Amino acid sequence: MARTCGMLEAIHTAAAAASTVAAVPNSTELKMELQSLMNQILDGEDHSLEITVEVLKILTALEELKKKSSDSLKVIDDNAIVPDEFKCPISRELMADPVVLATGQTYDRAFILRWLNDGHRTCPQTRQVLSHTILTPNHLVREMISHWCEKHGVEVPRLISDVEDNVVGDADRDYLNSLLEKMYSSLSDQKKAAKELRLLTKRMPSFRALFALKSGTMETRSNAAAALFSLSTLDSNKILIGKSGALKALIDLLEEGHLLVMKDAASAIFNLCIVPDNKARAVHDGAVRVILKKIMENVLVDELLAILAMLASHQKAVEETRELGAVSCLLSIIRRGTSERNKEYCAAILHTVCLNDRTTWREFKDEENGNHTLSKLAVNGNSRARRKAKGILERLINTSSVSCKKLTCMFSYQASFGPI
């Protein structure tokens, strides 16, 4: 008896509280919360008095909203009956954000996401098992709803901005893998897969998270690296991929040293680091150390020098380049190498290091005293390499720390080949 009286008192309190709430949520939000509470009751998770009170509060609030809505619609066209195709099959209300499920059925985003987040992997209408949980905006239905609302004087349902598609399941991963596999198929399949991947990563934060590359077989990770390389050609994707954490995973793939995947990983890193924020991320994630290690092992030297030249504008990259002994390695590549492009990259990196780190000048001076490496490059290299080499020599010549022997050597090259 006491329990019954307590329950009645709580119910009255809840009803009173509901009637005095200053900011009442809209009916969509209330129904979503009600559905969640009812699922808990039906699943046997909670039979407490508190959940019963919450249900009653929501029902009371919904009744108040219904009454207000009825009063406000008295001036609306009497024929304003919402067409069934504009109603969400779950809520039976006018859809605010219609989206298409894998089965082709259209639902209001908020309600189908609640269904999916509750663990369901079937279509509520057809009961078909979903091949994936990707939601595609139904712009046509949304536009038709807007026109209908305007015609009948009905307020267009507002979008719920804090609803986020964060459902990622095994089916989504399988779908992603199928797209990645097509990246190694025929050219037409590659184009279709790349287009679909670009759309998905642009539209779905949860799908971008699948590109973390931290799990899966080497073949899957290789496919993912190839896909990221393709996706990173678009400027809009560069930022999205960088924020997803994929750069660290790509750097890890470089370090692991599987030739199957290293080239795609390096190409993707190069594309991504065109964006300054991604350049900083790559340096922070250890790219300089990994790249220099591979260069010193004579692995993918062409590709990795291009990335290092891009990263060298970052101050932390300059410091790491010196600390890891890169100056002597890069000078050696210039002295012994045959690739003009690689010499250019080395000169560009060394020029930045020379301008920003005085402690490296001794190495440059010793190299010139012994091999005249930079002086020769200043004459025989391509236009950019010559410019960078001359810049380093000018810096060394203009400092009092350079020996008389070195100055004589440098000026002899200037006299023979023109002013530096």
Side-chain angles (χ1 to χ4, degrees):
M1 181 69 178
R3 178 177 174 83
T4 303
C5 291
M7 180 178 290
L8 289 174
E9 183 180 353
I11 291 171
H12 287 303
T13 301
S19 63
T20 58
V21 174
V24 181
N26 64 30
S27 62
T28 298
E29 294 167 336
L30 289 171
K31 287 183 179 180
M32 288 172 63
E33 182 61 26
L34 179 62
Q35 183 182 16
S36 177
L37 294 174
M38 293 304 297
N39 285 341
Q40 292 180 45
I41 294 174
L42 293 174
D43 292 340
E45 294 181 4
D46 197 335
H47 295 290
S48 65
L49 174 62
E50 288 77 8
I51 195 170
T52 303
V53 171
E54 287 299 317
V55 168
L56 289 170
K57 287 170 64 177
I58 293 174
L59 289 173
T60 301
L62 284 171
E63 184 64 27
E64 289 293 325
L65 285 175
K66 183 178 180 181
K67 181 179 179 182
K68 291 179 181 179
S69 177
S70 177
D71 292 341
S72 64
L73 290 176
K74 287 180 180 178
V75 296
I76 295 175
D77 186 350
D78 292 336
N79 297 320
I81 300 175
V82 179
D84 287 340
E85 58 267 28
F86 295 167
K87 296 178 182 177
C88 174
I90 298 175
S91 68
R92 301 307 303 166
E93 285 190 347
L94 191 63
M95 289 186 284
D97 189 4
V99 293
V100 180
L101 200 57
T103 56
Q105 305 296 320
T106 296
Y107 297 90
D108 203 351
R109 183 184 295 275
F111 288 95
I112 191 60
L113 278 179
R114 177 59 63 88
W115 170 267
L116 296 172
N117 282 323
D118 283 344
H120 300 290
R121 286 299 177 269
T122 58
C123 175
Q125 283 187 287
T126 67
R127 298 301 174 182
Q128 288 178 263
V129 176
L130 301 175
S131 60
H132 58 78
T133 58
I134 299 161
L135 304 177
T136 305
N138 194 329
H139 298 297
L140 177 60
V141 171
R142 170 69 179 171
E143 185 177 355
M144 291 171 66
I145 290 174
S146 297
H147 287 318
W148 182 88
C149 290
E150 182 179 352
K151 178 180 178 180
H152 295 282
V154 177
E155 183 179 357
V156 179
R158 68 179 181 86
L159 298 176
I160 302 177
S161 58
D162 60 349
V163 172
E164 182 176 344
D165 182 357
N166 57 3
V167 182
V168 179
D170 292 338
D172 299 314
R173 290 184 169 84
D174 291 341
Y175 184 58
L176 171 63
N177 288 336
S178 70
L179 291 175
L180 295 179
E181 288 171 3
K182 290 181 180 179
M183 297 301 295
Y184 281 98
S185 185
S186 65
L187 182 61
S188 61
D189 284 344
Q190 288 180 27
K191 290 181 178 179
K192 291 178 183 177
K195 181 179 180 181
E196 180 67 9
L197 286 167
R198 283 194 292 267
L199 290 173
L200 292 172
T201 53
K202 180 179 181 180
R203 191 167 64 231
M204 296 178 60
S206 60
F207 211 82
R208 292 197 297 273
L210 295 177
F211 277 110
L213 303 178
K214 296 177 181 177
S215 61
T217 65
M218 184 51 62
E219 183 178 2
T220 299
R221 297 168 74 193
S222 175
N223 291 342
L228 284 174
F229 168 52
S230 174
L231 294 169
S232 64
T233 58
L234 293 181
D235 289 342
S236 58
N237 277 344
K238 288 181 175 66
I239 298 172
L240 297 176
I241 295 171
K243 290 181 179 179
S244 75
L247 265 169
K248 180 63 170 65
L250 289 167
I251 293 168
D252 290 342
L253 285 178
L254 273 183
E255 187 168 22
E256 290 177 28
H258 293 267
L259 293 179
L260 175 68
V261 68
M262 285 184 68
K263 194 158 188 174
D264 283 328
S267 298
I269 292 171
F270 180 87
N271 279 349
L272 293 171
C273 287
I274 293 173
V275 176
D277 286 348
N278 286 341
K279 188 184 301 184
R281 290 187 182 100
V283 173
H284 181 268
D285 289 336
V288 174
R289 176 186 60 80
V290 173
I291 288 171
L292 282 173
K293 180 175 181 291
K294 294 303 176 183
I295 290 175
M296 292 176 182
E297 294 172 355
N298 201 33
V299 176
L300 288 183
V301 175
D302 297 0
E303 292 85 352
L304 296 181
L305 278 175
I307 299 174
L308 189 60
M310 186 180 296
L311 298 179
S313 61
H314 194 281
Q315 182 58 38
K316 188 173 187 293
V318 173
E319 296 169 3
E320 291 184 6
T321 299
R322 175 184 59 79
E323 292 169 359
L324 294 169
V327 172
S328 60
C329 172
L330 298 174
L331 286 169
S332 176
I333 292 174
I334 294 175
R335 185 173 65 252
R336 301 175 182 175
T338 58
S339 169
E340 293 302 316
R341 180 58 60 87
N342 286 353
K343 291 180 182 180
E344 175 192 325
Y345 289 143
C346 289
I349 298 166
L350 291 171
H351 182 263
T352 302
V353 172
C354 178
L355 294 183
N356 290 277
D357 194 339
R358 295 172 59 95
T359 64
T360 61
W361 290 357
R362 169 63 63 179
E363 288 183 81
F364 288 113
K365 183 177 70 172
D366 291 343
E367 180 68 21
E368 281 303 294
N369 278 329
N371 303 294
H372 315 309
T373 301
L374 291 170
S375 298
K376 292 175 182 177
L377 186 64
V379 175
N380 300 319
N382 64 29
S383 60
R384 186 166 184 247
R386 291 199 305 270
R387 188 168 66 254
K388 296 299 183 181
K390 288 179 181 180
I392 296 173
L393 292 172
E394 286 177 348
R395 174 57 63 96
L396 297 178
I397 290 172
N398 292 330
T399 61
S400 59
S401 62
V402 181
S403 66
C404 293
K405 176 183 177 183
K406 183 69 180 76
L407 284 171
T408 301
C409 175
M410 288 184 183
F411 281 117
S412 68
Y413 270 90
Q414 291 179 28
S416 300
F417 302 105
I420 295 176

